Amino acid sequence: MEDMSAVTERIGNLLKEHNGQDVSVLDLRGVNNWTDFFAIATVTSRTHMDGLERHIKDFCRENNIDIYGSSKKDTDDTWRLIDLGWLVVHLMTSDAREFYDLDRLWRYSSSSQSSSSSSSSSSQSSSSS
């Protein structure tokens, strides 16, 4: 398997390809010891959340990537997690994303990519140290 940061970038791109909004990938290496990356995407509906989760799980299956856990589906689903060990994928409604504000909470990490699916002019921005 290719290196984890490249796989993480591919998963971030997969979220964008399937209309995840405001996709950001945060590099948490050196910030904590339980995961290396977060991929965060805003979803537009529960159906959209289900679809993105299915695409991520299909990608993992096709690439022999273990899924260590995912949150259970609930009728009032606003935030779903998919734990790949080195990467935790967060699928959130806009209300949940605004309320929990993981991007701000983990602001000391470096953002390896961030974009909005509604913005075609800037498909990727990166911060380098």
Side-chain angles (χ1 to χ4, degrees):
M1 182 180 2
E2 56 193 295
D3 81 84
M4 295 305 132
S5 62
V7 174
T8 298
E9 185 176 334
R10 289 178 59 200
I11 289 173
N13 289 333
L14 180 72
L15 291 168
K16 292 177 200 173
E17 289 168 17
H18 294 285
N19 300 316
Q21 297 180 347
D22 298 320
V23 173
S24 61
V25 175
L26 304 178
D27 185 341
L28 303 175
R29 293 174 290 188
V31 178
N32 72 57
N33 62 359
W34 49 270
T35 194
D36 293 333
F37 299 96
F38 277 175
I40 308 168
T42 302
V43 299
T44 57
S45 67
R46 177 159 183 199
T47 303
H48 188 211
M49 183 182 289
D50 291 343
L52 284 176
E53 181 179 25
R54 187 184 72 249
H55 288 298
I56 296 297
K57 288 181 174 180
D58 288 347
F59 174 86
C60 290
R61 189 171 28 262
E62 293 164 6
N63 291 278
N64 298 315
I65 298 170
D66 293 327
I67 298 174
Y68 295 102
S70 60
S71 54
K72 298 197 185 326
K73 295 178 183 176
D74 188 334
T75 55
D76 194 26
D77 235 351
T78 60
W79 185 1
R80 198 167 302 160
L81 300 174
I82 305 167
D83 183 359
L84 306 179
W86 85 93
L87 166 67
V88 179
V89 179
H90 299 266
L91 305 175
M92 308 174 86
T93 62
S94 58
D95 288 342
R97 186 145 182 197
E98 182 180 338
F99 181 79
Y100 293 105
D101 201 2
L102 296 179
D103 299 278
R104 184 186 60 77
L105 182 65
W106 293 97
R107 68 186 171 267
Y108 297 112
S109 70
S110 63
S111 177
S112 59
Q113 62 180 317
S114 178
S115 78
S116 172
S117 64
S118 60
S119 171
S120 58
S121 63
S122 67
S123 65
Q124 193 173 24
S125 67
S126 59
S127 300
S128 58
S129 11

